[in-house]
Amino acid sequence: MTASGKLWLSSAGQRLNLETQGLTREFAALWLRERAPDPETLDPRTGQRLIEAAELPLDLALESAKLNGERVALRFSDGHVTDFPLAELIEAGAEIDSSVPGRSLWDASLAEPPRADFAAARQDDAALLDMLENLHRFGFVLVSGVPTEEDGMQALIDRIGPLRRTNWGGIADVKSVANAYDLTMTQRGLEPHTDNPYRDPIPGYIWLHCLTNAADGGDNTLVDGYQAALTLKARDPEAFECLTRVAPGFRYHDDTTRLEGEGPLIELDSHGRLARVRFSNRTERVDALPADELERYYAARRAFYRLITSDELTVHLKLDPGQMLIMDNYRLLHGRRAYQLAGGVRHLRQGYVDRDSTASRRLVLRRQLSSQPSQEASA
């Protein structure tokens, strides 16, 4: 026994047991071998694997395991020797204890939306990281000081990007027009929804920039889809289970485009954690499932709908010129109240940025800024 923990082998060396912090974690020898943190196994720059893991012998075993301070030294039956940081094994073996790790859930009682300043996020990496961390944590951020030009958001997108292009182009208008190709381009209210569930991949983040908003009405509504899903799970577990299992289709057709996709309204990842929500009354098309299954689905969908349209969960915001919402399209349900043009003009612009580039920028900035010496130390 050491201050750090205790190690022992089992199953003829095919299992490593680590007892630390009052918990025992078990690791397969094969898993440890293919993830060995040494330059013969993993490329030091990219972390990509250099060995062919599928060719490792299935009966691979550990011949020895020893704690050396804060590292774990291992010798495998194929002759390979490596050592792991103890902290890395502790983290890898930790049980998942949250449905939404790293997120802060919210409802109508949210006192203040997470905010960012456009110029600061453009010019300063720390301000950009703060914006991206809030976006990850809350699922949206309200950005002020955006130039009231048609592509005013582009300069900040370029710090994260690239801009996701669709059949509607890059940054597109959101305003009332004659012969609208989408209900977004009308004056009617829009129910809470996620955008474009008929695409593959679904756009990750929505950027909604206000140029003018003198119309009567047109307030944006925001609902935390993760909060809604977990509330449904607590109040009606059968409805929650149904919406994680049944996968309706979604469809968008016009003269030049035919887009079709499918997926559950509440999607879980392989660990049972919330991964995304979908809701799009305008584009949903449920297959002709057995009648009993459809009855369960329709009842569950109604229960979810009542939550996402409830005053309990809904936050209202009316964007001023020069303000912009960035929203997580896998989590946030957004809508708007109907509006009238008699009182003025409502002109917004909208673009999409994918999840991979956004997450990458956040994680790279987090690593870079955490490794920089403090000003006091450098002084």
Side-chain angles (χ1 to χ4, degrees):
M1 187 76 177
T2 73
S4 298
K6 178 181 178 182
L7 289 176
W8 69 94
L9 302 178
S10 61
S11 300
Q14 292 189 307
R15 299 288 184 272
L16 171 70
N17 299 276
L18 169 63
E19 181 184 313
T20 184
Q21 300 175 346
L23 298 173
T24 299
R25 300 165 175 85
E26 183 182 68
F27 300 92
L30 269 172
W31 183 88
L32 292 163
R33 177 65 184 90
E34 70 180 26
R35 293 173 66 102
D38 53 67
E40 292 78 27
T41 306
L42 302 179
D43 182 88
R45 185 169 64 90
T46 66
Q48 294 178 335
R49 194 155 54 210
L50 299 175
I51 63 170
E52 184 55 67
E55 292 182 353
L56 290 170
L58 297 180
D59 60 353
L60 184 84
L62 283 160
E63 294 181 343
S64 67
K66 183 179 180 182
L67 271 170
N68 292 328
E70 294 303 311
R71 303 190 72 84
V72 178
L74 303 175
R75 177 181 292 276
F76 295 89
S77 58
D78 66 351
H80 191 72
V81 176
T82 193
D83 62 12
F84 277 83
L86 177 61
E88 184 177 315
L89 290 181
I90 292 172
E91 181 180 358
E95 292 188 9
I96 298 166
D97 58 1
S98 173
S99 296
V100 282
R103 267 62 168 203
S104 293
L105 302 180
W106 48 268
D107 57 21
S109 67
L110 182 69
E112 179 70 15
R115 295 179 180 270
D117 178 77
F118 182 86
R122 272 198 66 196
Q123 298 165 9
D124 181 64
D125 282 350
L128 179 61
L129 176 60
D130 185 64
M131 185 190 85
L132 293 175
E133 293 286 18
N134 276 327
L135 181 60
H136 177 73
R137 180 181 171 192
F138 292 98
F140 78 104
V141 64
L142 178 63
V143 184
S144 298
V146 186
T148 51
E149 304 163 357
E150 286 207 340
D151 293 341
M153 67 172 81
Q154 183 68 57
L156 187 53
I157 289 176
D158 290 342
R159 290 268 281 155
I160 301 167
L163 176 70
R164 166 80 175 272
R165 297 189 66 85
T166 70
N167 54 299
W168 299 318
I171 300 174
D173 287 311
V174 180
K175 61 181 179 180
S176 181
V177 298
N179 301 316
Y181 58 77
D182 188 85
L183 294 181
T184 305
M185 311 294 284
T186 69
Q187 298 175 48
R188 63 171 284 167
L190 299 176
E191 80 285 345
H193 64 281
T194 56
D195 272 12
N196 298 190
Y198 39 76
R199 294 191 189 277
D200 184 15
I202 296 171
Y205 289 94
I206 307 164
W207 292 51
L208 186 64
H209 172 211
C210 178
L211 300 181
T212 59
N213 196 6
D216 182 16
D219 297 16
N220 294 94
T221 61
L222 308 177
V223 174
D224 184 347
Y226 288 175
Q227 176 68 72
L230 292 178
T231 301
L232 181 68
K233 183 179 182 180
R235 297 179 183 176
D236 192 341
E238 291 183 1
F240 177 87
E241 188 277 332
C242 179
L243 295 187
T244 65
R245 178 172 44 80
V246 177
F250 298 90
R251 185 179 73 184
Y252 176 86
H253 292 176
D254 63 21
D255 292 341
T256 61
T257 306
R258 299 182 70 84
L259 298 168
E260 298 183 4
E262 69 168 31
L265 301 193
I266 300 173
E267 182 176 332
L268 307 179
D269 68 11
S270 59
H271 300 289
R273 299 173 298 192
L274 291 173
R276 75 176 89 180
V277 295
R278 296 174 177 86
F279 200 92
S280 179
N281 175 64
R282 292 169 282 162
T283 65
E284 183 195 40
R285 297 291 185 275
V286 185
D287 288 341
L289 302 173
D292 289 347
E293 182 80 323
L294 282 175
E295 287 178 4
R296 285 189 289 269
Y297 175 74
Y298 289 145
R301 185 181 64 182
R302 171 178 285 191
F304 192 49
Y305 173 76
R306 286 178 171 170
L307 280 172
I308 65 175
T309 56
S310 69
D311 292 338
E312 172 189 4
L313 298 185
T314 304
V315 167
H316 295 263
L317 288 173
K318 184 164 184 175
L319 294 179
D320 294 325
Q323 288 188 321
M324 175 173 67
L325 277 170
I326 308 176
M327 299 174 282
D328 183 345
N329 193 40
Y330 280 32
R331 171 179 175 181
L332 214 73
L333 297 127
H334 67 285
R336 72 159 185 244
R337 292 174 55 207
Y339 65 94
Q340 299 295 325
L341 290 177
V345 176
R346 185 182 192 271
H347 184 189
L348 285 76
R349 298 272 284 170
Q350 179 172 290
Y352 297 117
V353 178
D354 283 327
R355 295 180 73 79
D356 55 357
S357 55
T358 304
S360 173
R361 188 70 167 127
R362 175 174 58 86
L363 296 173
V364 168
L365 283 173
R366 183 191 288 177
R367 184 195 67 207
Q368 289 176 341
L369 294 178
S370 66
S371 65
Q372 289 179 359
S374 67
Q375 292 182 354
E376 181 179 346
S378 57

